[in-house]
């Protein structure tokens, strides 16, 4: 069978070369394109990869169009009343199957089975992998604008890809690259319109907001229909285990497949509500359009359309009191006798969705299985009691987590004397925030500042460069491992490098005892960072030293959400900054609300001051511009996960231990020599001529260090 399919595919490829109406299977084109790429045949690689993308889009378009056409041609309603129901139903099923077979054959120019790609190939296209190859091919062909567009298109869907992040930054620095070259070639129209509409809405530009939000709603409903059409198969992702468990009976098999289709259709709303490159969907995506539109129409004086949008919104949430009040207001303004109805497209969407949910819940209750309802607006009476019980259990779990959080606010005793809590969460208008003073002495701050100066003069590991966040500051950073390596080479004082380890460990113990006395904190990353104002570039400056962000999630101010997903450091639990000086202007830390604009608290740097806070969405923060001088601090991140413990620190501690042991080694050797009656020169040596020294190995010390590419964007 495999050889027969290969022969058929080769024939299809050959035929397609002479028949422009036929689509070559995209997996064949993709495979040939990748082969050309690795053969460094850049022109052929670019051509084949572009054709593969075109074929993939054509296949999806053909499936959507044929299913829509055959649904009209072979509708399930309207069969002869006297005809037995099985003949009426299955006659239409067979008619639709025949219609699809012929329609797809005409549009694709070959049997539809020739276009069934492997799961790996399908996943590559879903994740835009062809654009990864294309950007290199275009770059080699010196087609810079197309290379940039391909790179940007891939990066939008894969923001965690470190190499592409680096490539994008290189493109930005290249002469000849324009800002409009950074185009998403796979952009979804409804997301572009939605984000533009929300921006106009937030700027009180309601006429422009209405136009873009209406466009977004229209395109979103269209995208929803396309997604639903593709849910009808072919089912190429079924697990073998599921096939083994499937009942062999006719009706059981039909029911199982049909319920899968219904579940897929319900999940389509999540697909259109998920921005490319994100994992989590925007909640209430369709209803939120109507909510924004009703307010915007009201602001521009169109109460009739405002009432229509309000009525449409109430289809989702019929008991929403604020919207009911708005509806009363609109009816009063329009006249009590005015007939106001919801939009027909929204009525159709809600009615169809409720019917499908009812069937799915019936199947789950009587035939087993699970269903993760994507909508918050599903009526409670539609959900079976056993699923309601599970929901109540989840609510109890969330309540317990809240209680655990409140319990964690009960602080443990500090492990060192003389340290003062200057500001707590209450005084800082937030949660899980604190400021400690007198963590370091003036002398210790001077020693660590001396370390930054010596590391800079060594010219390694502490290079001065422009800040990754602003062109108006220079940025320097030193890790604990690099400090130890510089000390080993004699470039910095061992005592200063050791103090960096000790100061950061002291901070860890303080933060752990205050926030999580019963749960160990591990270092995630430690960085001695200095930011220096660039002379002559501060006048009229409007930017920040570090924009507002959260440390373990991607902040979305417009959606009032923080997405805990890559490329954010999702494993980080607590953060800290230990300041070393205050002889500069600006550079203070500030906390905000989720909107990134409303400042809730500020912390002014000074020697020995440690600010600590939880790393999540409850603590968005940024750094004011350093307008004069040089600001130095130790940036600290911690995790409860030992798996993500800082491996550079393990290596740095090993170097420090080896240094200590080497200092003690001569005395030990002399004692051993006296005991054995030999001189120290007679002790065994390694093949390199040096006497062997023991080295303590710690679990996990062979792990790779944290990727350097991600560090620069995440410093305080």
């Amino acid at each position: 069978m495999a050889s027969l399919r290969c022969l058929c595919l080769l024939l299809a490829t050959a035929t397609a070369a002479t028949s422009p109406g036929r689509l070559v299977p995209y997996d064949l084109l993709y495979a040939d394109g990748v082969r050309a790429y690795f053969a460094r045949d850049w022109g052929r690689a670019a051509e084949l990869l572009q054709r593969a993308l075109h074929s993939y889009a054509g296949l999806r378009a053909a499936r959507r169009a044929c299913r829509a056409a055959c649904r009209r041609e072979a509708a399930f309603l309207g069969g002869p009343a006297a005809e037995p129901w099985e003949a009426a139903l299955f006659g239409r099923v067979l008619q639709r199957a025949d219609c699809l077979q012929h329609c797809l054959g005409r549009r694709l120019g070959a049997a539809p089975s020739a276009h069934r790609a492997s799961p790996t190939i399908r996943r590559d296209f879903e994740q835009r992998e062809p654009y990864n190859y294309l950007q290199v091919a275009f770059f080699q062909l010196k087609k810079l604008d197309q290379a940039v567009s391909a790179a940007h298109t891939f990066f939008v869907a894969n923001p965690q890809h470190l190499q592409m992040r680096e490539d994008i930054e290189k493109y930005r620095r290249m002469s000849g690259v324009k800002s409009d070259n950074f185009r998403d070639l796979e952009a979804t129209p409804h997301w572009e319109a939605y984000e533009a509409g929300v921006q106009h809405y937030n700027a009180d530009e309601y006429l422009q907001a209405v136009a873009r939000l209406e466009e977004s709603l229209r395109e979103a409903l269209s995208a929803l229909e396309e997604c639903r059409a593709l849910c009808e198969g072919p089912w190429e992702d079924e697990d073998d285990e599921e096939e083994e468990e499937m009942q062999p009976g006719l009706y059981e098999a039909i029911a199982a497949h049909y319920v899968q289709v219904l579940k897929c259709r319900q999940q389509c709303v999540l697909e259109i509500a998920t921005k490319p490159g994100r994992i989590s969907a925007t909640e209430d995506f369709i209803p939120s359009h109507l909510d924004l539109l009703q307010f915007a129409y009201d602001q521009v004086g169109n109460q009739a359309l405002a009432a229509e949008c309000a009525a449409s919104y109430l289809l989702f949430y019929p008991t929403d009191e604020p919207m009911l009040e708005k509806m009363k207001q609109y009816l009063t303004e329009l006249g009590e006798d005015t007939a106001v109805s919801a939009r027909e497209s929204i009525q159709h969407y809600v009615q169809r969705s409720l019917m499908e949910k009812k069937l799915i819940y019936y199947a789950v209750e009587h035939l087993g299985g699970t269903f993760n309802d994507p909508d918050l607006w599903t009526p409670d009476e539609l959900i079976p009691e056993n699923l309601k019980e599970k929901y109540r259990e989840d609510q109890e779990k969330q309540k317990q987590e809240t209680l655990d959080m409140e319990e964690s606010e009960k602080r443990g005793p500090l492990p060192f004397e003389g340290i003062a809590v200057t500001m707590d969460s209450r005084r800082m208008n937030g949660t899980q925030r604190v400021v400690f003073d007198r963590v370091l002495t003036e002398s210790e701050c001077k020693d660590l500042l001396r370390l930054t100066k010596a590391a800079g003069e060594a010219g390694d590991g502490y290079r001065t460069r422009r800040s990754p966040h602003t062109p108006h500051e220079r940025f320097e950073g030193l890790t604990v491992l690099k400090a130890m390596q510089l000390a080993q080479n004699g470039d910095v004082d061992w005592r200063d490098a050791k103090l960096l380890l000790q100061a950061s460990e002291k901070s860890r113990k303080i933060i752990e005892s205050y926030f999580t006395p019963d749960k160990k904190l591990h270092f995630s990353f430690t960085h001695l960072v200095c930011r220096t104002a660039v002379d002559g570039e501060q006048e009229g400056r409007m930017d920040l030293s570090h924009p507002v962000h959260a440390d373990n999630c991607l902040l979305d101010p417009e959606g009032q959400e923080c997405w805990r997903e890559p490329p954010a450091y999702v494993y980080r639990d607590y953060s800290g900054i230990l300041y070393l000086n205050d002889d500069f202007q600006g550079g203070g830390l500030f906390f905000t609300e989720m909107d990134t604009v409303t400042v809730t608290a500020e912390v002014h740097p000074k020697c020995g001051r440690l600010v600590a806070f939880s790393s999540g969405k409850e603590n968005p923060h940024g750094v004011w511009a350093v307008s004069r001088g040089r600001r130095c601090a130790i940036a600290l991140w911690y995790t409860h996960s030992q798996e993500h413990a800082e491996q550079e620190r393990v290596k740095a501690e090993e170097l420090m231990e080896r240094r200590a042991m080497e200092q003690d080694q001569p005395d030990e050797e002399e004692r051993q020599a006296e005991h054995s009656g030999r001189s120290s020169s007679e002790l065994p040596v390694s093949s390199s001529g040096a006497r062997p020294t023991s080295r303590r190995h710690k679990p996990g010390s062979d792990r790779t260090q944290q990727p350097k590419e991600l560090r620069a964007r995440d410093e305080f």
Side-chain angles (χ1 to χ4, degrees), residues 6 9-14 16-17 24-53 121 124-125 130 133-134 137:
C6 290
L9 293 177
L10 289 172
L11 288 172
T13 307
V24 180
Y26 70 92
D27 57 335
L28 296 183
L29 293 167
Y30 182 50
D32 287 343
V34 172
R35 277 193 287 270
Y37 175 92
F38 285 110
R40 305 180 72 82
D41 187 349
W42 306 117
R44 181 161 173 75
E47 177 198 350
L48 288 167
L49 290 167
Q50 285 179 296
R51 287 178 61 195
L53 288 163
I121 298 295
D124 275 1
F125 276 75
Y133 293 109
L134 265 176

Side-chain angles (χ1 to χ4, degrees), residues 660-676:
M661 294 177 70
E662 286 173 351
Q663 289 178 330
D664 295 339
Q665 193 70 22
D667 294 339
E668 178 64 23
E669 290 175 352
E670 291 298 333
R671 285 195 297 272
Q672 290 180 4
E674 288 177 9
H675 183 73
S676 62

Side-chain angles (χ1 to χ4, degrees), residues 462-481:
Y462 205 75
R463 296 185 183 92
T464 301
R465 57 186 175 85
R466 292 280 177 161
S467 167
H469 307 296
T470 171
H472 305 295
E473 296 175 16
R474 291 193 302 274
F475 177 89
E476 306 152 276
L478 182 69
T479 66
V480 287
L481 178 58

Side-chain angles (χ1 to χ4, degrees), residues 231-236 238 246 250-264:
C231 281
E232 294 179 10
W235 285 98
E236 299 165 332
E238 290 179 317
M246 186 176 291
L250 170 66
Y251 300 109
E252 292 90 337
I254 292 172
H257 198 145
Y258 183 54
V259 169
Q260 287 293 335
V261 171
L262 293 179
K263 288 180 179 179
C264 174

Side-chain angles (χ1 to χ4, degrees), residues 125-416:
F125 276 75
E126 289 165 2
Q127 296 174 353
R128 305 186 181 182
E129 191 64 36
Y131 290 102
N132 194 1
Y133 293 109
L134 265 176
Q135 70 104 6
V136 177
F138 282 135
F139 181 79
Q140 295 293 336
L141 293 168
K142 303 192 185 313
K143 296 181 178 181
L144 203 55
D145 55 340
Q146 290 175 277
V148 172
S149 295
H152 182 73
T153 301
F154 176 81
F155 187 64
V156 165
N158 301 274
Q160 76 281 6
H161 197 281
L162 301 181
Q163 184 59 54
M164 192 60 78
R165 179 190 296 275
E166 190 175 301
D167 290 347
I168 290 285
E169 290 305 315
K170 288 177 182 176
Y171 284 132
R172 292 191 190 280
R173 294 193 293 269
M174 288 182 182
S175 60
V177 174
K178 302 175 183 176
S179 59
D180 57 3
N181 292 148
F182 293 90
R183 293 183 297 120
D184 182 3
L185 302 175
E186 299 277 348
T188 50
H190 68 274
W191 265 109
E192 286 189 335
Y194 179 73
E195 292 187 323
V198 170
Q199 286 178 0
H200 286 306
Y201 182 93
N202 289 335
D204 297 339
E205 299 166 351
Y206 295 111
L207 274 174
Q208 297 95 319
V210 161
R212 298 313 303 271
L213 288 171
E214 287 284 16
E215 178 189 351
S216 173
L217 183 57
R218 187 168 56 251
E219 293 290 348
L221 292 174
S222 175
L224 194 66
E225 291 306 309
E226 292 180 0
C227 175
R228 287 172 59 84
L230 294 174
C231 281
E232 294 179 10
W235 285 98
E236 299 165 332
D237 288 327
E238 290 179 317
D239 296 331
D240 292 336
E241 293 180 5
E242 290 183 0
E243 290 181 4
E244 290 174 5
E245 293 175 1
M246 186 176 291
Q247 300 271 349
L250 170 66
Y251 300 109
E252 292 90 337
I254 292 172
H257 198 145
Y258 183 54
V259 169
Q260 287 293 335
V261 171
L262 293 179
K263 288 180 179 179
C264 174
R265 289 174 178 172
Q266 287 292 300
Q267 296 302 311
C268 279
V269 71
L270 294 182
E271 181 171 320
I272 68 163
T274 303
K275 189 177 178 180
R278 291 276 176 83
I279 297 173
S280 308
T282 300
E283 289 183 346
D284 271 350
F285 191 61
I286 299 296
S288 69
H289 279 76
L290 299 164
D291 190 15
L292 295 172
L293 279 168
Q294 68 84 21
F295 185 83
Y297 275 124
D298 185 32
Q299 294 301 302
V300 298
N302 194 333
Q303 276 69 41
L305 286 178
E308 180 186 80
C309 291
S312 301
Y313 181 89
L314 288 169
L315 291 177
F316 297 94
Y317 295 104
T319 60
D320 186 85
E321 291 186 8
M323 194 62 76
L324 288 170
E325 287 298 319
K326 293 294 290 183
M327 195 65 187
K328 287 180 183 178
Q329 174 191 325
Y330 296 142
L331 289 174
T332 301
E333 293 172 355
L334 294 169
E336 294 293 341
D337 297 332
T338 304
V340 175
S341 59
R343 294 186 177 185
E344 187 176 338
S345 60
I346 301 299
Q347 290 184 49
H348 174 67
Y349 170 76
V350 172
Q351 289 168 1
R352 183 179 62 185
S353 186
L354 288 174
M355 180 207 57
E356 290 178 349
K357 289 177 191 290
K358 189 174 182 179
L359 290 171
I360 293 170
Y361 280 125
Y362 180 90
V364 169
E365 185 176 19
H366 296 279
L367 302 178
T370 59
F371 174 51
N372 295 320
D373 196 325
D375 295 311
L376 299 176
W377 56 268
T378 302
D380 191 57
E381 59 269 17
L382 210 63
I383 306 173
E385 282 301 322
N386 60 334
L387 295 183
K388 289 181 185 177
E389 182 61 32
K390 184 178 182 303
Y391 175 75
R392 284 191 286 269
E393 290 174 1
D394 291 341
Q395 290 288 90
E396 286 298 320
K397 184 178 178 182
Q398 290 180 6
K399 190 183 297 183
Q400 186 59 47
E401 289 175 354
T402 302
L403 291 174
D404 291 343
M405 177 67 77
E406 292 174 354
E407 184 68 22
S408 70
E409 291 280 347
K410 298 176 181 177
R411 310 305 181 194
L414 297 180
F416 303 99

